[in-house]
Every structure is written in structure tokens, then in C-alpha cells.
Amino acid sequence: MPPFDVPFDLPEGDPFGPHNLPYGVFSPSGSADRTVGVRLGDHVLDAGAAAAALGSPYVSLLARPSLGPLLAAGRTAWSDVRRALTAWVTVPAHQEAIAGLFHPLSSVDLHLPFEVADYVDFYASENHARNVGQIFRPDAADSLTPNWKHLPIGYHGRSGTVVVSGTDVVRPSGQRKAVSDAAPVFGPSVRLDIEAEVGFVVGVPSELGRPVGLGDFREHVFGLCLLNDWSARDIQAWEYVPLGPFLGKSFATSVSAWITPLDALEEARVAPPERTHELLPYLDDSASDVERGGYDLRISVAINGHVVSEPPFSTMYWTAAQQLAHMTVNGASLRTGDLYGSGTVSGPSAAERGSLLELTWNGRDALELPDGKRTFLEDGDVVTLSAWAPGPDGVRVGLGDVVGRVVSGDV
Amino acid sequence: MPPFDVPFDLPEGDPFGPHNLPYGVFSPSGSADRTVGVRLGDHVLDAGAAAAALGSPYVSLLARPSLGPLLAAGRTAWSDVRRALTAWVTVPAHQEAIAGLFHPLSSVDLHLPFEVADYVDFYASENHARNVGQIFRPDAADSLTPNWKHLPIGYHGRSGTVVVSGTDVVRPSGQRKAVSDAAPVFGPSVRLDIEAEVGFVVGVPSELGRPVGLGDFREHVFGLCLLNDWSARDIQAWEYVPLGPFLGKSFATSVSAWITPLDALEEARVAPPERTHELLPYLDDSASDVERGGYDLRISVAINGHVVSEPPFSTMYWTAAQQLAHMTVNGASLRTGDLYGSGTVSGPSAAERGSLLELTWNGRDALELPDGKRTFLEDGDVVTLSAWAPGPDGVRVGLGDVVGRVVSGDV
């Protein structure tokens, strides 16, 4: 990596160094204007202004209020723009032109970086699916449903309630009915949970009626981010038969303000777990060109600053490439801005579970936090997802945090 | 109704007379430009051009390539624009200015009239839900799931594959597994079905965290249209446990090119069926201001021109107002362009069922059509949904047809 030459302190090995360069959308302090920014350390570079200052043709992709145009531009443009940005922040000759275009993160507002088209959520962690099966169907012969090892189970969520990290989450109200209740009751959820996930962002659309193959994953998917799929377990339990989760999920889904391009995660690519069942050809990733379809992302889940879990993304049974192939195998088209979540990330050990449902075994085993016991979330709780991945030369690639505070609905 | 004064033949009592005036988006012959049109008989009025010709301020809402701005403008604007349009097509003094702005429907291309934000599909016909329950759970004590009478069951669908009437529907491929199969097999769906529904179009957004009450239905919902929720029953059956329908539905959802404003359907408002279970307050429509929350829409389903069913929308157990209240009671926000489907409309009699699943009792009883027997759809089949509602002075209000032809995926 060339020597840095940015006008602020950037420690060597910073997880947001020039090897990372995630994209977001920000407003400078005191401005309502939104524009694309690139994170470097604890600063954000006004990428469109930098492009203009340096006479770059990428001003048309970067001096925009959304990542949409960049997402739609496709893989060649993604690589070219990334190469240009890397040069801008590392080649000394550029310093004078862009030195004034960095803003401290503390001085900017970060926005949802793109308009979410369709939002799909998967269920791709075998550990998570087995935990859920054991909790809700303890007498079943197999904790997985019969289809689980044959296809990546997923469903559509509400794209209009995807919110950027930092947005408060209002505790949802709804119907719930315990087995012992004669009729459903209404009120604020008493079993509000999180799901630690990774979200994948589609850039290049596809044509209706034309499936996207496993090998085309990187042509369509621009990058990824952390995602918290907030879940009201009591609402979900009463509503979800037979058509799946609805109001138990649709009140909020939080994503990071920073989208990490896949190009920043080359060193994090790993083989997925060994497949225990033969897969149909459209999902078969045993061929060499897609063999490293997993990503080694080390996630951390904290409540009020106290880490309660460290889910390892490398353990996911189904990869993002398989999910994309499955999502389109029926001919469903992709749009720029489609977002799909991996499903809750849970590792094999108890300290690697990505939901309170699993961490407390459906409320049976409370967590002991410095500020008291928790089964599910209390008003005022702040949940933070963070993650890093192995990068070049042993440096970490940081993912943008996802932070959300639970607030009462009685406002 | 004042005398018509339009420059073409418009029979008295035409279901698309000046009492109707549904909105769409069209391109005139030979043009790629899209603009808002209003249907009158078998013609479409270039509404933006008419507004400009008459010096109307509504040119800003009508000379647009999408209904979006009009949808977002709100109920007062909806009523004002409708009043203006009614005058333009009925007051003789306007004839000279707008006579040249009507296009025969046969000469224009009709487009999806708005960008679909979130798409939700409900399951609100008791007859349909009981038929499905009896088909798939013949031994169950109750053909309805325990939650059915307490909340309008729904789920999110794929908004990116909502297509306008006239779009071919490619037969989807996917996994299916009969009970007798050892493993799932892959191929084109062999049980492709329709679902005759009504879609409701949200105009005015709502704030995240703030439920929309039953009484605010007409402030948010602009109008309705017919909707065909194409369904691959074999794909759906294998995938849907535990998270609901996904690829069995997401390949296509067809909607009419014409959105009928609620204001055109005042005479069609009817009381919904008697509620057999006490409802929680947010769903309780027994109060007088919402007592006529149903709509009397007479739907017709035809395959290759042969009518196979006439589902009556007035029989729906859950109303669109209840669906809106439920969809937002957890604080989920609405956006301009949200679309929600009623769920399959099925009446109590066998000739009123809105899906082939029910009409053929899951393939057991083939339909006898002039061109042969049908259990599920064959390639080349053209499905047409049409409907009318009672209007003023005994005149019918026509809804725009939804037409779709099934084509092979092997293209």
C-alpha cells in the first residue's frame, strides 16, 4: 500500500484505511444536501467533489445524492472507480486538490445510502435454523424442515422500513396470543429481539424471465453491509402460519451507513461448510469457479456496549451467490437497490448465536449484563452490530456498525 | 351527468363513461414518452396536455410519466383533479381545446402506471381460506388457522415483478417435491395457477412508528385495480414452510393498466360480512363511520375467452381499511406507490372461486373448456380478469382488465 497522504491522523492498520473505502451518503454539517462519501479512518471524503477537483469522469457517478448510479454502473465501473479513489487518497500529488474535502465523521449526517428496491431475508445459518427448530419443535425428529438442505429458504420483507444505522427503533405493538390465552391480546411487543445478519446489495439489474446463475454473482452484487433484522417474537409467533413473518418483522430493519464493496473483501473469501446433501445444478457450488463463495466476517453483537455474542459469518451453510441464484431461478428480475439479508448468523457455540431467542433459549436463560438481566430487549437498550474481515497484509477490513436504540411506542 | 361532448362515439351507459375516469400511463403511438392518461370509453385522454390546453394548475400532477405525483398529492387534490377532469370531458365549452387530445386505446402503449413501492398480499376471503384448508388439511378440525378470524393474514411479495396487464408471463422453473419423491426435482412448474384479486394503491405516505387507523383509509388509499397473483402451486408447496410463499409467487404479479379512484366507487360501497369473532379495537369496523368498508365488485375470470368463474368481492371477510390498519399497527410506514392485494377472491359457490386450485379442487376435477380440459394453466393460455361495480344511476363502473398469456420458459 502506498504511503498515506491525507490531512489527518490515520493509524497504520486502521480497519477503515485505504484498503477498505466503503461507500455511503452523507450531508456535511449544516447542509441538507446529500452526496456520496467514502470513509477513510474516522473521516469521510466528499467523493463527488474530489472527482470534480481532479477532473475525473466519475463525477457523474459520485456527485449524486444516492449510491444508485454507482450501483447501476456495473462491475467494470465499480473496479475503475475504486482504483481511482485508492489513488486519490494515497498518491501525494492529489493531496492539495482534495485535502479540504474530508469531513470528520462526527460532523456529518449519514443517510440510507440507496433506495431499497426489494428486500428479501434468508434463513441460511444451519446453527440458527437448528436452534430455532429445537426451541419451537422440541419433539421433531429433525430440527430442520425437510426443504432446508435443498434450497435457501427466504421471504420478502418490507423495503420501506429499512433504516440507516442510528435510527431509533420504536417498539412495535401488535397481536400476540400465548397458548394459555383464550383470545389474542394487543399491546407493545414483550419479546423484542435482534437478528445479526449480513445484507447484500444488488447493483446490476436482470431481465424478467432470465435466471441469474451462480457464476454471475459478482456481476450483479456490488457489496455488503451489516443488517439487524429486528423481530417481535410474540407478534411473529401468532401471525406467521401459514404465510410467514409479517408485522413481527416489518416495523424496522437497520443497515449500516457504509456499503463495503466486494472488491475490498477478496482476502475474506472462504469455502462454505461442506454440503451434506447433493444440490440441484443451479445451486451446486462445488465447481471451482465458485468454490470460495463464503465470506469470513467476524461479527460482534453488543447491548449497551456489552458484547453478548460473536457470530462467525463463515459458518453460513448457504452463500450469497446461492441465494441470488435461488431468488431468480423462477425468472424473478433484479433491480438496482435490491437488498437481501443472509438470515441470522449463528455459530456452533452458545457465545456465537445471533439472536436473543437463541442466546436466552427463548427467554429461559437470561443474559447477565452489567446493567441487569435480559431475556429480550428493554426500552432504551442500544444494540450495536460490528464486524471485521481479514484484509490484505494482515490488516482488518472494518464493516460499518449498525446501531439502534429501542424506544417506547408511547410517544 | 351532463351531456357528453367528446369527439368520438361513447354509448350511453358505457362502463368507462365520465362517471368512471380511471387513470393510467400511456405512450402515444410512435412515441417513447410516457404521460398520464384518463380513460373514456375506448379512448384515452392525454390528461397533462388537456390541463395545459385549459390552463389548469393540475398540469404539474398530470403531465408526468407516472401517477406518482398525483398519488402523493392527497385526497383534496384527488377530488379536485377528478372534478376538473369531469368538467373537461362533459362541458361543451372545453371541446375545442381538448378534442385533439384523445387517442384510441388501440393506438397507444399502456404502462405500469406507478412505481410499486412495497407489495403486500393478503388472504382475506373466508371462502378461499376454507377451501385451501380443506384441500391441504382435510383432517383438520377447523379449515381456518386459529389466527384467521383475528387478523388479516398477509405477507410481503416482490414489488419488482409487478407487471402491467398485457405482459406475457414466463412459466417459472423451480424445485418441487411430491410426497412420493425421494428428493426434490427441478423444472418448469406443472401446477401454474392464477389468483383473482383486487389491488389497493396507497397514495399518501405515513410516518414510521405511527399506525394508520381504520378511519384514515380514504386519506391514504387513492384507488384500486384488478390483480392476478400468479402462483406456481408445486414450487410453493415445497418451499413455504416455515417462512411463507417466495418463488412460487415472485415471478410475476399482473395489475390493470387503469387505477380506479375510490371516488368513482361510492355507489359500490357495501357492508362487509358479519363478523363472527370480536375484533381488537384497531380492527373493529362496527362503528358507523367505517361500516361500509367493503366494495361490491363483480369479477370475472376467463381462460382463452371462456369465463370459468365470477368471484364476488363483496364477500371478502377483511376489508381494505382493516388491511391498511393491520399493516401499519406495528408502526410500519407507508410510501406512495405501496400496493396491497386483497387475496384471492372466492365466493361461497363453486362457480365463484378465484383460483384453479379451488376450481379444480387441486387438480381432481378438471374444467371443461371449449379447447380442452384444464387442471392448471397450459402454455399459451390467456387469462383475463375483468370486473364492474355498481355506479351512479344504475350505470356500471368498469375496472381495467388484467390480461396475461402464459409462455414457455424455454425461449
Side-chain angles (χ1 to χ4, degrees):
Chain A
M1 189 63 61
F4 305 161
D5 197 18
V6 290
F8 52 86
D9 186 42
L10 183 64
E12 194 173 355
D14 189 291
F16 292 96
H19 62 295
N20 188 342
L21 301 181
Y23 296 88
V25 168
F26 76 103
S27 298
S29 180
S31 167
D33 292 343
R34 299 180 179 206
T35 194
V36 171
V38 171
R39 180 167 172 180
L40 190 63
D42 57 1
H43 281 64
V44 51
L45 172 66
D46 184 332
L54 293 168
S56 162
Y58 303 129
V59 67
S60 65
L61 298 177
L62 298 173
R64 303 295 285 260
S66 161
L67 294 185
L70 177 63
L71 295 180
R75 173 137 300 283
T76 301
W78 301 338
S79 297
D80 292 346
V81 170
R82 180 171 165 79
R83 200 174 303 113
L85 279 163
T86 303
W88 300 348
V89 300
T90 56
V91 177
H94 295 143
Q95 178 167 13
E96 190 177 329
I98 68 168
L101 303 177
F102 288 93
H103 303 259
L105 274 175
S106 58
S107 77
V108 305
D109 291 325
L110 296 170
H111 305 288
L112 191 64
F114 59 97
E115 185 182 4
V116 180
D118 270 300
Y119 166 51
V120 166
D121 197 28
F122 284 95
Y123 187 53
S125 159
E126 180 172 355
N127 298 300
H128 171 68
R130 288 197 182 278
N131 287 338
V132 170
Q134 287 168 28
I135 289 170
F136 291 118
R137 299 182 299 274
D139 301 327
D142 189 343
S143 54
L144 297 180
T145 53
N147 52 8
W148 202 93
K149 284 289 180 91
H150 296 282
L151 53 79
I153 294 173
Y155 68 102
H156 284 87
R158 190 166 187 83
S159 55
T161 52
V162 175
V163 297
V164 71
S165 174
T167 307
D168 284 348
V169 172
V170 177
R171 180 182 296 273
S173 286
Q175 295 193 25
R176 60 177 180 271
K177 182 179 174 300
V179 173
S180 56
D181 291 337
V185 298
F186 182 86
S189 170
V190 295
R191 296 162 71 82
L192 183 58
D193 198 357
I194 56 142
E195 294 194 337
E197 305 194 13
V198 175
F200 290 82
V201 180
V202 171
V204 174
S206 70
E207 189 184 339
L208 189 63
R210 300 279 183 181
V212 174
L214 267 184
D216 290 329
F217 167 69
R218 295 170 62 82
E219 298 305 310
H220 290 275
V221 172
F222 171 80
L224 56 77
C225 62
L226 289 170
L227 183 152
N228 186 346
D229 178 32
W230 304 88
S231 301
R233 301 296 179 193
D234 42 357
I235 296 173
Q236 185 183 348
W238 170 233
E239 74 178 357
Y240 90 106
V241 174
L243 300 184
F246 184 33
L247 299 185
K249 302 277 195 172
S250 66
F251 55 97
T253 305
S254 298
V255 295
S256 170
W258 299 105
I259 309 301
T260 306
L262 294 184
D263 283 343
L265 295 166
E266 275 302 294
E267 288 80 4
R269 294 176 69 185
V270 293
E274 193 178 348
R275 279 67 177 82
T276 55
H277 290 55
E278 189 177 354
L279 293 176
L280 286 163
Y282 79 96
L283 292 174
D284 182 358
D285 59 359
S286 59
S288 61
D289 61 329
V290 287
E291 69 186 353
R292 296 176 72 229
Y295 283 93
D296 180 10
L297 311 175
R298 323 284 176 92
I299 304 170
S300 181
V301 181
I303 299 177
N304 302 329
H306 181 79
V307 173
V308 298
S309 176
E310 295 186 310
F313 191 69
S314 61
T315 61
M316 300 299 278
Y317 191 83
W318 297 103
T319 71
Q322 290 173 313
Q323 291 167 339
L324 192 75
H326 185 62
M327 185 160 49
T328 61
V329 76
N330 66 346
S333 48
L334 301 172
R335 289 182 294 173
T336 298
D338 281 349
L339 171 71
Y340 61 102
S342 60
T344 308
V345 184
S346 291
S349 84
E352 296 175 327
R353 295 169 177 162
S355 68
L356 290 171
L357 174 70
E358 296 163 88
L359 287 164
T360 71
W361 214 252
N362 201 22
R364 185 192 68 188
D365 308 325
L367 294 179
E368 300 280 354
L369 302 190
D371 59 349
K373 292 189 176 187
R374 284 294 183 294
T375 49
F376 292 93
L377 295 171
E378 299 184 359
D379 289 348
D381 280 349
V382 175
V383 178
T384 303
L385 308 183
S386 54
W388 61 271
D393 306 321
V395 176
R396 293 181 174 188
V397 178
L399 270 61
D401 289 352
V402 175
V403 183
R405 182 171 61 113
V406 176
V407 300
S408 163
D410 309 324
V411 288
Chain B
M1 189 64 61
F4 305 162
D5 198 18
V6 290
F8 51 86
D9 186 42
L10 183 63
E12 194 171 356
D14 189 291
F16 292 95
H19 61 295
N20 188 341
L21 301 181
Y23 295 89
V25 169
F26 76 104
S27 297
S29 180
S31 166
D33 291 343
R34 299 180 179 206
T35 194
V36 171
V38 171
R39 180 167 173 180
L40 190 64
D42 57 1
H43 281 64
V44 51
L45 172 67
D46 184 331
L54 294 168
S56 162
Y58 303 128
V59 68
S60 64
L61 297 177
L62 297 173
R64 304 295 285 261
S66 160
L67 293 185
L70 176 63
L71 295 180
R75 173 135 302 281
T76 301
W78 301 338
S79 297
D80 291 347
V81 171
R82 180 171 166 80
R83 200 173 304 115
L85 279 162
T86 304
W88 300 348
V89 300
T90 56
V91 176
H94 296 143
Q95 177 167 14
E96 190 177 331
I98 69 168
L101 303 177
F102 287 93
H103 303 260
L105 273 175
S106 58
S107 77
V108 304
D109 292 324
L110 296 171
H111 305 288
L112 191 65
F114 59 97
E115 186 182 3
V116 180
D118 270 299
Y119 166 51
V120 165
D121 197 28
F122 284 94
Y123 187 53
S125 159
E126 181 172 355
N127 298 299
H128 171 67
R130 288 197 181 280
N131 287 338
V132 171
Q134 286 167 28
I135 289 169
F136 291 118
R137 297 183 301 274
D139 301 326
D142 188 344
S143 54
L144 297 180
T145 54
N147 51 9
W148 203 93
K149 285 289 181 91
H150 296 283
L151 52 79
I153 293 173
Y155 68 101
H156 285 87
R158 191 165 187 83
S159 53
T161 51
V162 175
V163 297
V164 72
S165 174
T167 306
D168 284 349
V169 172
V170 178
R171 181 181 296 272
S173 285
Q175 295 193 24
R176 61 176 180 272
K177 182 180 173 299
V179 174
S180 56
D181 291 337
V185 297
F186 182 86
S189 170
V190 295
R191 297 163 70 81
L192 183 59
D193 199 357
I194 56 143
E195 294 195 335
E197 304 195 13
V198 174
F200 289 82
V201 179
V202 171
V204 174
S206 70
E207 189 184 339
L208 189 64
R210 299 279 183 181
V212 173
L214 267 185
D216 289 330
F217 168 68
R218 295 170 62 82
E219 299 305 309
H220 290 275
V221 172
F222 172 79
L224 56 77
C225 62
L226 289 170
L227 183 152
N228 186 347
D229 179 32
W230 304 88
S231 301
R233 301 297 178 193
D234 41 358
I235 296 172
Q236 184 182 349
W238 170 234
E239 74 178 356
Y240 90 106
V241 173
L243 300 184
F246 185 33
L247 298 185
K249 302 277 195 172
S250 66
F251 55 97
T253 305
S254 299
V255 294
S256 170
W258 300 104
I259 309 302
T260 306
L262 295 185
D263 283 343
L265 296 165
E266 276 301 294
E267 287 80 3
R269 294 176 70 186
V270 292
E274 192 177 350
R275 279 69 176 82
T276 55
H277 289 56
E278 189 176 356
L279 294 175
L280 286 162
Y282 79 97
L283 292 173
D284 182 359
D285 60 358
S286 59
S288 61
D289 60 330
V290 288
E291 68 186 353
R292 298 177 69 229
Y295 283 93
D296 179 11
L297 311 176
R298 323 284 176 92
I299 304 171
S300 181
V301 181
I303 299 178
N304 302 329
H306 181 79
V307 173
V308 298
S309 175
E310 296 186 310
F313 191 69
S314 61
T315 61
M316 300 298 279
Y317 191 83
W318 296 102
T319 70
Q322 288 173 314
Q323 290 168 340
L324 191 76
H326 186 62
M327 185 160 49
T328 61
V329 75
N330 67 345
S333 46
L334 301 172
R335 288 182 295 173
T336 298
D338 281 349
L339 171 70
Y340 61 103
S342 60
T344 309
V345 183
S346 291
S349 84
E352 295 176 328
R353 294 169 178 162
S355 68
L356 290 171
L357 174 70
E358 296 162 89
L359 287 165
T360 71
W361 214 252
N362 201 23
R364 186 192 68 187
D365 308 325
L367 294 179
E368 301 279 355
L369 302 190
D371 60 349
K373 293 188 176 190
R374 284 296 182 294
T375 49
F376 291 95
L377 294 171
E378 298 185 359
D379 288 350
D381 280 348
V382 175
V383 178
T384 303
L385 308 184
S386 54
W388 60 273
D393 306 321
V395 175
R396 293 180 175 189
V397 178
L399 269 63
D401 288 354
V402 176
V403 182
R405 182 171 62 113
V406 177
V407 300
S408 163
D410 309 325
V411 286

